[in-house]
């Protein structure tokens, strides 16, 4: 207790993350990893001290989560914690060996996970590959930080680093504490939220399935996740950005619309439901935009996909519905589940869409005045859902699918990513056409289905006439269907008899 500075409850989202972490230890659920290349003259002592200063400044980085012997779990803020920091010099290794060792470390590090009861729930590793190049790996648990907060924290660390490089000590006032947000949540009226969500989900009784996943109901899943990604072309990315600005749509709305179309085509349902993450930062909480912590919430998004509806007005309607739920985006998902008509033993949804729109990303540092440049940024994150669709907007927007290998084949996910890219390209090409006109098949698949599989040309022996072919089939398979029309059908044998009758007549 001498090393405790504060104790307070968890948010409902944190409670859910902690539950899934304890339910599947070693699965890597809610394990986060940020990997990048640092280029430039790096001062190792200053870099480490910059992170230590951040730990001192942000209470959430010194927080542990305790639950044993308690009616409800609590988060305990430590006064002091030791920064896990590893540095290794790989300059003597070949480029191939460096790459192999980095990938092996990244993979092994994920299997280590974190003990939620031991702070800090993060660790840093720095691997020097050239005199002025380092590979940086920052691992942490999602229960303490959301994506917005990782951007704020990186900005803080690099500001600290620059200050230390000048021989000065970082002097910043402590930010507003995450504890204030926990208190704000406790004050919200859940009854109004209940009315809203009951109306929003009325009549929806079955989770929307992609219909390409395996049935795992009869076995215990291993919880092994893989990740596939693709990159939209610069032209498609730019066109979607222009569409967003011209019609006052968020990019998030456009990508959610693309997912709804894909989900509708895969499931053959016109009313689909999937999860989306929201920032969870209430506008009426002073200083919330600079707070570091776990604010995001995952909520159900219900979209009707009517084939004859034009894409643009459909997207605008979807955005209006999303704006309506912002007033209640603090609602715990477990409560929404209880208010819905979906059976209690089933999840509301099996897929989620995550739009990674942070105020700070790697490119900010890459072109700024900092002495270190960040590039080749990679993220890894894993939820408890079978499939997550992540979007990183940019000059070439990145699309990620993170999937549970118990549910999905690698080949299926590869095709799914291709279909998503095709849908987004179709929206970019013409957002005023009906939804049913949006192509899903990739050009290669379309060529195969429409042309290759329909190439039924056969070289026939010459000379022969049509009736001779039919006579051969009469002898070979008289019961096979030969002719079909609205009135019925004839077998080859029946056709032969009728033809002979007509000829005799």
């Amino acid at each position: 207790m001498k090393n405790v500075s504060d104790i307070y409850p968890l948010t409902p989202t944190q409670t859910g993350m902690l539950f899934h972490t304890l339910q599947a230890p070693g699965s890597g659920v809610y394990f986060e990893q940020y990997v990048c290349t640092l280029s430039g003259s790096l001062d190792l002592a200053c870099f480490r001290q910059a992170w230590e200063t951040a730990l001192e400044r942000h209470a959430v980085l010194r927080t542990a989560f305790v639950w044993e012997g308690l009616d409800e779990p609590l988060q305990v803020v430590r006064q002091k914690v030791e920064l896990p920091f590893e540095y290794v010099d790989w300059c003597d290794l070949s480029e191939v060996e460096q790459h192999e060792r980095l990938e092996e470390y990244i993979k092994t590090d994920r299997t280590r996970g974190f003990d939620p009861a031991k702070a800090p729930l993060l660790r840093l590793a720095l691997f020097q590959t050239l005199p002025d190049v380092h590979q940086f790996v920052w691992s942490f648990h999602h229960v303490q930080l959301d994506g917005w907060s990782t951007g704020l924290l990186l900005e803080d660390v690099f500001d600290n680093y620059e200050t230390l490089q000048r021989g000065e000590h970082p002097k910043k006032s402590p930010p507003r504490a995450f504890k204030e947000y926990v208190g704000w949540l406790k004050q919200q009226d859940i009854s109004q939220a209940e009315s809203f969500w009951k109306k929003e989900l009325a009549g929806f009784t079955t989770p929307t399935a992609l219909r390409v996943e395996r049935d795992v109901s009869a076995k215990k899943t291993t919880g092994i996740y893989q990740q596939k990604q693709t990159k939209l072309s610069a032209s498609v990315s730019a066109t979607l950005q222009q569409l967003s600005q011209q019609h006052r749509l968020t990019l998030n709305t456009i990508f959610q619309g693309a997912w709804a179309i894909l989900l509708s085509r895969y499931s053959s349902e016109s009313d689909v439901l999937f999860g989306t993450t929201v920032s969870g930062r209430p506008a009426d909480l002073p200083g919330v935009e600079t707070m570091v912590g776990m604010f995001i919430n995952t909520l159900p998004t219900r979209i009707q996909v009517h084939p004859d509806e034009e894409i643009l007005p459909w997207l605008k309607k979807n955005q209006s519905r999303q704006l309506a739920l912002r007033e209640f985006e603090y609602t715990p998902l477990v409560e929404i589940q209880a208010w819905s008509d979906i059976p209690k033993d089933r999840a509301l949804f099996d897929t989620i869409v995550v739009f990674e729109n942070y105020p700070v990303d790697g490119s900010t540092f890459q072109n700024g005045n900092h002495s270190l440049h960040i590039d080749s940024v990679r993220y890894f994150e894993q939820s408890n859902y079978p499939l997550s669709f992540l979007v990183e907007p940019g000059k070439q927007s990145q699309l990620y699918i993170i999937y549970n290998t118990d549910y999905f084949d690698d080949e299926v996910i590869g095709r799914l990513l291709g279909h998503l890219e095709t849908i987004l390209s179709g929206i970019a090409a013409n957002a005023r056409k009906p939804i049913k006109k949006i192509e899903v098949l990739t050009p290669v698949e379309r060529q195969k289905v429409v042309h290759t599989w329909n190439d039924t040309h056969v070289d026939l022996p010459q000379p022969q006439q049509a009736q001779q072919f039919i006579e051969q089939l009469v002898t070979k398979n008289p019961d096979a269907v030969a002719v079909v029309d609205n009135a019925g059908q004839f077998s080859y044998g029946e056709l032969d008899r009728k033809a002979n009758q007509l000829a005799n007549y």
Side-chain angles (χ1 to χ4, degrees):
M1 290 302 295
K2 290 181 180 179
N3 194 30
V4 173
S5 64
D6 207 348
I7 300 177
Y8 51 91
L10 280 66
T11 67
T13 299
Q14 286 180 308
T15 301
M17 288 181 172
L18 180 62
F19 169 79
H20 288 293
T21 300
L22 299 177
Q23 184 188 42
S27 67
V29 64
Y30 292 112
F31 180 89
E32 306 280 303
Q33 206 171 51
Y34 175 94
V35 183
C36 68
T37 301
L38 299 177
S39 302
S41 179
L42 184 142
D43 186 318
L44 185 60
C46 286
F47 188 70
R48 180 169 186 160
Q49 191 176 348
W51 278 96
E52 290 174 341
T53 303
L55 254 69
E56 294 174 5
R57 186 165 183 260
H58 300 285
V60 295
L61 301 182
R62 306 190 308 276
T63 298
F65 298 82
V66 297
W67 61 91
E68 291 184 351
L70 302 176
D71 293 333
E72 63 174 353
L74 295 171
Q75 38 194 334
V76 179
V77 182
R78 305 297 182 191
Q79 290 183 0
K80 296 286 185 181
V81 294
E82 184 176 344
L83 175 69
F85 190 96
E86 180 180 1
Y87 167 79
V88 183
D89 187 342
W90 284 347
C91 289
D92 292 338
L93 301 178
S94 68
E95 187 175 343
V96 172
E97 289 176 306
Q98 290 173 353
H99 175 76
E100 290 176 349
R101 291 202 183 187
L102 177 62
E103 295 307 310
E104 182 62 29
Y105 175 85
I106 290 171
K107 184 179 179 180
T108 303
D109 186 53
R110 290 173 187 169
T111 64
R112 293 165 62 189
F114 291 99
D115 181 352
K118 296 180 180 179
L121 300 182
L122 65 86
R123 53 181 170 263
L124 311 175
L126 200 61
F127 305 103
Q128 186 168 4
T129 54
L130 291 170
D132 58 350
V133 177
H134 294 76
Q135 298 298 326
F136 177 55
V137 182
W138 167 28
S139 302
F140 59 95
H141 199 292
H142 204 4
V143 73
Q144 65 176 352
L145 294 171
D146 58 21
W148 186 288
S149 297
T150 61
L152 294 176
L153 183 57
L154 280 174
E155 186 175 38
D156 191 28
V157 166
F158 276 81
D159 284 345
N160 293 342
Y161 180 80
E162 289 298 309
T163 302
L164 292 164
Q165 280 270 282
R166 294 194 300 267
E168 304 171 9
H169 186 75
K171 295 179 180 179
K172 297 179 182 178
S173 58
R176 303 293 290 269
F178 180 67
K179 180 181 180 179
E180 294 183 34
Y181 171 67
V182 178
W184 179 89
L185 277 178
K186 296 288 187 183
Q187 298 170 6
Q188 303 312 301
D189 183 4
I190 203 72
S191 61
Q192 289 185 341
E194 181 178 359
S195 300
F196 172 83
W197 286 110
K198 280 185 174 179
K199 182 178 179 181
E200 180 70 12
L201 299 176
F204 206 98
T205 58
T206 306
T208 306
L210 281 165
R211 301 193 189 281
V212 291
E213 59 265 60
R214 303 189 195 99
D215 180 13
V216 296
S217 57
K219 70 169 186 174
K220 183 178 180 181
T221 63
T222 59
I224 297 175
Y225 283 74
Q226 296 290 342
Q227 177 175 295
K228 271 189 174 296
Q229 66 188 76
T230 190
K231 187 182 293 186
L232 291 182
S233 69
S235 60
V236 169
S237 298
T239 304
L240 292 177
Q241 182 68 51
Q242 291 168 5
L243 180 69
S244 165
Q245 295 172 349
Q246 183 179 354
H247 298 284
R248 297 187 178 183
L249 290 166
T250 65
L251 277 174
N252 193 7
T253 297
I254 295 174
F255 283 101
Q256 285 183 18
W259 185 254
I261 291 172
L262 181 135
L263 201 54
S264 176
R265 298 286 180 89
Y266 272 46
S267 66
S268 300
E269 302 286 345
S270 60
D271 190 4
V272 299
L273 189 73
F274 55 92
T276 55
T277 57
V278 293
S279 71
R281 295 174 183 256
D284 58 345
L285 180 60
V288 71
E289 68 280 354
T290 60
M291 289 184 185
V292 173
M294 169 43 63
F295 292 86
I296 64 167
N297 194 11
T298 302
L299 298 174
T301 295
R302 183 179 185 180
I303 295 181
Q304 277 77 36
V305 185
H306 301 301
D308 293 323
E309 197 166 357
E310 282 190 7
I311 296 166
L312 192 55
W314 174 71
L315 289 173
K316 290 181 177 180
K317 182 175 65 177
N318 293 341
Q319 181 161 291
S320 295
R321 291 187 70 171
Q322 288 295 300
L323 289 173
L325 68 79
R326 288 194 65 178
E327 184 180 352
F328 307 102
E329 67 180 18
Y330 60 84
T331 315
L333 184 59
V334 65
E335 297 287 358
I336 299 174
Q337 168 84 46
W339 299 329
S340 75
D341 295 327
I342 288 180
K344 306 309 177 199
D345 61 341
R346 294 291 310 275
L348 271 174
F349 41 81
D350 295 325
T351 67
I352 64 170
V353 177
V354 182
F355 189 76
E356 306 278 26
N357 191 19
Y358 306 149
V360 179
D361 61 20
S363 61
T364 303
F365 303 118
Q366 185 177 356
N367 300 313
N369 296 320
H370 296 79
S371 57
L372 285 176
H373 306 302
I374 295 181
D375 54 28
S376 303
V377 175
R378 287 189 284 165
Y379 296 98
F380 176 85
E381 57 183 272
Q382 178 180 319
S383 71
N384 62 297
Y385 296 99
L387 187 148
S388 302
F389 168 40
L390 275 69
V391 182
E392 279 182 26
K395 291 183 178 179
Q396 283 190 268
S397 295
Q398 297 269 11
L399 312 182
Y400 300 85
I401 298 292
I402 300 171
Y403 61 100
N404 189 325
T405 56
D406 287 322
Y407 290 83
F408 299 98
D409 288 323
D410 179 76
E411 185 181 353
V412 165
I413 298 301
R415 287 200 302 269
L416 186 148
L417 264 177
H419 296 161
L420 263 176
E421 191 173 359
T422 304
I423 291 170
L424 288 163
S425 297
I427 294 174
N430 183 2
R432 295 192 178 276
K433 59 187 174 185
I435 294 172
K436 66 183 178 184
K437 295 292 187 180
I438 289 289
E439 183 63 73
V440 172
L441 297 180
T442 65
V444 172
E445 289 174 327
R446 185 169 183 79
Q447 173 68 27
K448 179 185 291 185
V449 172
V450 176
H451 300 288
T452 305
W453 289 351
N454 281 318
D455 184 6
T456 57
H457 173 77
V458 177
D459 290 325
L460 300 174
Q462 298 296 331
Q464 278 193 325
Q465 296 175 325
Q467 69 269 26
Q468 291 175 300
F469 286 113
I470 294 174
E471 287 169 357
Q472 290 175 6
L473 289 168
V474 169
T475 304
K476 185 177 180 181
N477 197 357
D479 295 326
V481 175
V483 180
V484 178
D485 69 4
N486 292 332
Q489 64 185 32
F490 288 112
S491 68
Y492 278 101
E494 292 170 328
L495 178 64
D496 184 55
R497 288 191 294 274
K498 293 284 186 183
N500 286 336
Q501 289 174 3
L502 179 60
N504 288 327
Y505 175 80

